[in-house]
């Protein structure tokens, strides 16, 4: 046991400005999880290198992301916040797990197929890192004997792969790794693009009107919601049906997630209103919500020395915890270690 409570691990790659999808899919759950679990909140900067061609300002993006972690209620006295590249054990375990992973199972990863297709369409080359990304994610999770991983639905397959790799390793070397469970909510685990509600809302979307960024200014948020794709059903009626009404269902999931109201409760409140009025309600709730979040974010973001102190302290704690797992693995594999 390297922690006294069940361990929860969650990460976001600082590959651009965080989106409402990132927030609803994962971050909104983090604060309340801190009392029941040992929480590790990681800024996955090494993962962000897989899309380095986009030339994001990584240093800035890392500190922006850290500020959002604090703004959404992560308390560094209760949880560990750290930057992945500060804990070299992640890269070390990554290589070892590469040796226990199969080319064919990586080829099946839907996220890889989607991202590769996008890169091909933009005439970009696909890096080997993009292909191997899920193995680094497995290393992130398994290093801490994680029990639970809150993720959006798009990442479920990667957690399943993590379990398969862990199982394979355990069957050869004994019970080394804890098998992690994904935590995925029924609603809000896949927030869709505003104009193309059949595809996931993503930081890297070239059409910025598809995405609500957590740092969007309020008039822009209102405009984006007003222009969100709905449907032409006559007479217009608001109900949840992901197949027939993906646009309306997406807006309902957004509203439900930020107001903490059950979708059925919302549907009763929204009975008989027009789409335009519904969009105004969503835009208004979202603006108020993001205004508060941005205020808190700005307070943290302006104090870089505080942010760096948190990242430093988090890294020290993680190095100590992860070293135990890594040393055990080295022993089992027959690698010689000269450290205690
Ligand atoms: N649209 C979404 N709805 C719900 N959850 C989402 N997540 C991402 N988008 C949505 C969840 O956020 C966590 C961190 O994701 P990530 O940034 O590390 O990777 P990603 O899934 O590749 O996110 P993006 O926004 O799509 O980034 P880019 O465009 O750079 O690839 C994960 O738990 C994810 O499920």
């Amino acid at each position: 046991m390297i922690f006294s409570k069940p361990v929860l691990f969650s990460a976001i790659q600082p590959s651009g400005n965080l989106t409402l999808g990132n927030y609803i899919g994962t971050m909104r759950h983090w604060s309340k999880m801190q009392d029941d679990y040992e929480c590790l909140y990681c800024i996955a900067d090494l993962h962000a290198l897989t899309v380095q061609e986009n030339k994001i300002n990584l240093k800035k993006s890392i500190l922006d992301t850290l500020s959002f972690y604090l703004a959404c209620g992560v308390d560094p006295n209760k949880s560990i916040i750290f930057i992945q590249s500060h804990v070299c054990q992640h890269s070390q375990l990554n290589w070892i797990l590469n040796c226990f992973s199969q080319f064919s199972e990586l080829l099946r990863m839907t996220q890889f197929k989607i991202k590769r297709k996008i890169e091909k369409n933009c005439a970009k080359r696909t890096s080997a890192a993009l292909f191997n990304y899920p193995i680094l994610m497995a290393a992130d999770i398994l290093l801490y004997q994680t029990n639970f991983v809150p993720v959006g639905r798009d990442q479920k397959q990667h957690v399943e792969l993590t379990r398969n790799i862990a199982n394979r390793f355990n069957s050869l070397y004994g019970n080394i790794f804890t098998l992690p469970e994904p935590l995925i909510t029924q609603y809000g685990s896949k927030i869709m693009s505003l104009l193309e509600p059949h595809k996931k809302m993503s930081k890297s979307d070239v059409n910025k009107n598809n995405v609500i960024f957590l740092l969007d200014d309020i008039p822009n948020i209102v405009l984006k919601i007003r222009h969100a794709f709905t449907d032409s059903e006559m007479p217009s009626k608001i109900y949840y049906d992901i197949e027939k009404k993906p646009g309306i269902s997406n807006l309902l999931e957004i509203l439900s997630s930020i107001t903490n109201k059950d979708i059925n409760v919302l549907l009763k409140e929204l009975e008989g209103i027009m789409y335009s009025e519904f969009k105004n309600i969503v835009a208004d709730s979202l603006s108020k919500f993001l205004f508060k979040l941005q205020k808190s974010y700005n307070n943290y973001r302006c104090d870089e020395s505080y942010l760096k102190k948190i990242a430093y302290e988090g890294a020290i704690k993680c190095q100590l915890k992860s070293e135990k797992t890594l040393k055990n693995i080295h022993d089992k594999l027959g690698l010689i270690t000269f450290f205690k």
Side-chain angles (χ1 to χ4, degrees), residues 13 15 21-22 26 115 152 154-155 191 200-204:
Q13 44 171 340
S15 50
N22 294 130
T26 53
K115 289 192 175 176
D154 60 314
Q155 295 289 341
I191 297 299
K200 192 187 76 148
M201 184 182 282
S202 271
K203 297 181 205 91
S204 54

Side-chain angles (χ1 to χ4, degrees), residues 230 234-238 248 251 269-282:
T230 49
M234 283 303 226
S236 63
K237 197 167 171 224
I238 295 169
I248 289 289
L251 292 177
E269 291 176 9
L270 298 168
E271 224 170 77
I273 70 165
M274 314 255 285
Y275 285 176
S276 56
E277 209 179 322
F278 171 47
K279 284 180 173 179
N280 283 341
I281 293 172
V282 177

